Amino acid sequence: MRIVKLTENEKANILENLLKRSPNQYGTFEDTVNEILEDVKANGDKALFAYTKKFDGVDITKDSIRVTQEEIDEAYTKVDEHLLEIIRKALKNIKEYHEKQVRYSWFDSKPDGTLLGQKVTALERVGVYVPGGKAVYPSSVLMNIVPAKVAGVDHIVMTTPPGKDGKVYPVTLVAAKEAGVDEVYKVGGAQAIGALAYGTESIKKVDKIVGPGNIFVALAKKAVYGHVSIDSIAGPSEILVLADETANPRYVAADLLSQAEHDEMASAILVTTSMELAEKVSEEVDGFVKELSRSEIIQKSLDSYGYILVADTMEEAIDTANEIASEHLEIVTKNPFDTMTRIRNAGAIFLGEYSSEPLGDYFAGPNHVLPTNGTAKFFSPLSVDDFIKKSSIISYSKEALELIHTDIEDFAKSEKLTAHANSIAVRFEK
């Protein structure tokens, strides 16, 4: 891996390079995506069937688009019992973590006859998009469905492209069933996002769409935002390890590569105060790349978006981590908890040398759907909050309103909104 002495100029160049990976930079695909969405909006199932034939090479009909109970039962026979046991253990951890996020309605009444509050209501229908093809991520299925289920969403609908055999990959289907999905449809790509956003004869419109996907899916989610809510426009995966001289270089190298193997646009960055650690990590990375199965993808990722940055001070290293605002941030310093208190921007923070990033991907419980491309400066991980909405509650007695009605009328008149003022005044006419 390349080792770079950290300067303000280098930091600016690296940030500019990382931002090139954002889905917002791929406007050349927007016309194609919009054409697909308009077709689905106008022609419903007919468009879905045609695009599935075109892109996936599979014939689906109104009778086969929805996964049947028989197909779910068949999927269970094809999933190894040991893997099913692991999925259930992970599911338990994810569920317990998200149950601690549940919000409740609240009301605050006062003796003067005022009652204010907030009513928390789960969304009615949510669509979960799951990639197909080479990407088989049952962990992502759990991470998207479980918080919706915990929030109390009435109906959870999953869409995923079918394989060449016209079926959903068994472990994807089993994970969805274990997590509590209500319906599964064999359709993927931008056309699936259109179906969830607008509705077709077979797939009823949802209120929100969550889940990862390729650039076409990301742009489709961006385009339908407003018709429905979405979780985020996710970019390629990324990891930043913040380390000092106490870190184990072999562990650090392994953790960096855990994200570099996702795809050629993934980013892996080490920020350290130790040149000795930097050089040792670089050597370990070279050794691992020769051994790992996805070495070609890893190498391309490292060549384009991999960096070892050497800072003069830990303060400078922390400032850089905050500026990059990585999706995954590992802190491997002498006192990681102290370092963590100075971190402002990160999707998920992993503390200490035995809290490697895959722990969060699969098993610990916190959600692995995280903000990318610097959006951790203003976005949060997917949570139960993403599947609820809040309504304000206001109730005043006549006596309570009488005490302040002239204040409201005067405020409204200052904005030249006399009908607003009148709405209050008529209640106190002589």
Side-chain angles (χ1 to χ4, degrees):
M1 280 182 76
R2 78 190 108 178
I3 299 175
V4 178
K5 193 77 174 72
L6 190 59
T7 64
E8 284 301 317
N9 191 49
E10 284 293 347
K11 182 163 53 171
N13 290 339
I14 290 166
L15 288 169
E16 184 180 357
N17 188 40
L18 293 177
L19 288 173
K20 292 176 184 175
R21 306 173 312 127
S22 168
N24 292 323
Q25 303 298 317
Y26 290 82
T28 51
F29 299 110
E30 285 184 346
D31 288 345
T32 301
V33 168
N34 289 333
E35 184 179 316
I36 293 171
L37 293 175
E38 287 302 316
D39 194 4
V40 171
K41 190 175 183 180
N43 298 302
D45 278 356
K46 181 182 176 183
L48 288 188
F49 303 156
Y51 287 121
T52 303
K53 176 68 173 176
K54 178 179 179 180
F55 297 129
D56 302 304
V58 176
D59 287 305
I60 56 170
T61 67
K62 62 182 179 62
D63 297 319
S64 63
I65 188 173
R66 181 172 174 176
V67 170
T68 64
Q69 185 59 48
E70 289 73 23
E71 288 174 299
I72 295 172
D73 294 340
E74 181 187 1
Y76 271 87
T77 67
K78 295 182 177 180
V79 173
D80 179 76
E81 279 294 328
H82 179 58
L83 178 57
L84 179 57
E85 183 182 341
I86 293 171
I87 287 172
R88 287 173 174 166
K89 287 179 180 178
L91 181 62
K92 179 177 182 290
N93 292 343
I94 297 164
K95 184 170 181 285
E96 288 177 352
Y97 179 85
H98 286 84
E99 283 174 342
K100 293 177 173 64
Q101 299 175 341
V102 173
R103 291 175 180 259
Y104 298 96
S105 300
W106 59 267
F107 301 92
D108 181 26
S109 60
K110 295 180 179 178
D112 64 0
T114 65
L115 185 148
L116 302 176
Q118 183 172 268
K119 183 177 183 292
V120 175
T121 308
L123 302 182
E124 187 175 349
R125 286 179 66 85
V126 166
V128 175
Y129 184 86
V130 175
K134 296 178 182 177
V136 180
Y137 298 129
S139 59
S140 190
V141 175
L142 302 182
M143 292 291 183
N144 281 278
I145 293 177
V146 169
K149 197 74 179 175
V150 170
V153 172
D154 293 340
H155 222 78
I156 303 171
V157 180
M158 187 177 96
T159 65
T160 188
K164 296 299 180 185
D165 59 357
K167 296 180 179 180
V168 175
Y169 196 76
V171 72
T172 299
L173 201 50
V174 167
K177 183 65 178 178
E178 290 289 320
V181 77
D182 295 296
E183 301 170 23
V184 181
Y185 292 94
K186 305 169 192 172
V187 60
Q191 59 271 24
I193 302 301
L196 293 170
Y198 306 126
T200 72
E201 296 89 334
S202 296
I203 302 176
K204 188 177 175 183
K205 181 185 185 301
V206 300
D207 302 312
K208 184 164 188 167
I209 301 171
V210 300
N214 63 19
I215 188 62
F216 293 97
V217 170
L219 291 174
K221 286 171 68 177
K222 181 180 176 183
V224 301
Y225 177 66
H227 295 279
V228 292
S229 180
I230 63 171
D231 51 349
S232 62
I233 309 294
S237 189
E238 55 199 28
I239 185 171
L240 189 149
V241 179
L242 182 60
D244 60 17
E245 71 283 353
T246 66
N248 183 317
R250 190 165 174 82
Y251 294 175
V252 172
D255 294 353
L256 290 170
L257 300 186
S258 72
Q259 293 308 291
E261 77 169 342
H262 268 295
D263 63 57
E264 291 90 342
M265 295 181 70
S267 168
I269 299 174
L270 166 63
V271 184
T272 182
T273 51
S274 169
M275 179 60 78
E276 182 181 355
L277 178 72
E279 291 169 348
K280 288 181 178 178
V281 168
S282 182
E283 290 175 13
E284 293 285 357
V285 164
D286 292 342
F288 278 132
V289 171
K290 293 173 184 175
E291 303 170 2
L292 296 169
S293 61
R294 294 167 68 88
S295 58
E296 189 175 338
I297 291 173
I298 290 171
Q299 194 59 59
K300 287 181 180 178
S301 166
L302 295 179
D303 289 345
S304 299
Y305 305 107
Y307 300 93
I308 296 177
L309 306 178
V310 181
D312 289 330
T313 66
M314 183 52 66
E315 287 69 26
E316 185 182 17
I318 291 169
D319 287 345
T320 301
N322 280 326
E323 193 65 29
I324 292 173
S326 186
E327 177 187 19
H328 306 100
L329 172 64
E330 288 189 8
I331 300 178
V332 195
T333 58
K334 187 176 182 180
N335 189 341
F337 289 91
D338 175 68
T339 306
M340 181 266 292
T341 62
R342 289 175 279 167
I343 293 297
R344 192 178 188 92
N345 305 319
I349 302 173
F350 301 78
L351 302 176
E353 65 181 12
Y354 291 101
S355 304
S356 62
E357 189 279 335
L359 178 66
D361 269 355
Y362 295 110
F363 213 76
N367 210 288
H368 79 196
V369 180
L370 303 166
T372 58
N373 278 107
T375 60
K377 291 179 179 178
F378 45 83
F379 279 145
S380 305
L382 191 72
S383 72
V384 169
D385 284 351
D386 287 289
F387 299 99
I388 62 169
K389 56 192 179 70
K390 304 161 198 161
S391 302
S392 301
I393 304 296
I394 302 168
S395 176
Y396 267 57
S397 66
K398 179 181 179 182
E399 292 74 20
L401 184 61
E402 189 168 16
L403 292 172
I404 47 89
H405 77 93
T406 56
D407 290 339
I408 301 170
E409 292 163 25
D410 291 345
F411 211 153
K413 289 173 184 175
S414 76
E415 295 185 346
K416 307 234 176 350
L417 296 175
T418 55
H420 279 63
N422 187 58
S423 172
I424 299 292
V426 294
R427 287 164 167 76
F428 299 98
E429 292 174 329
K430 301 299 183 185

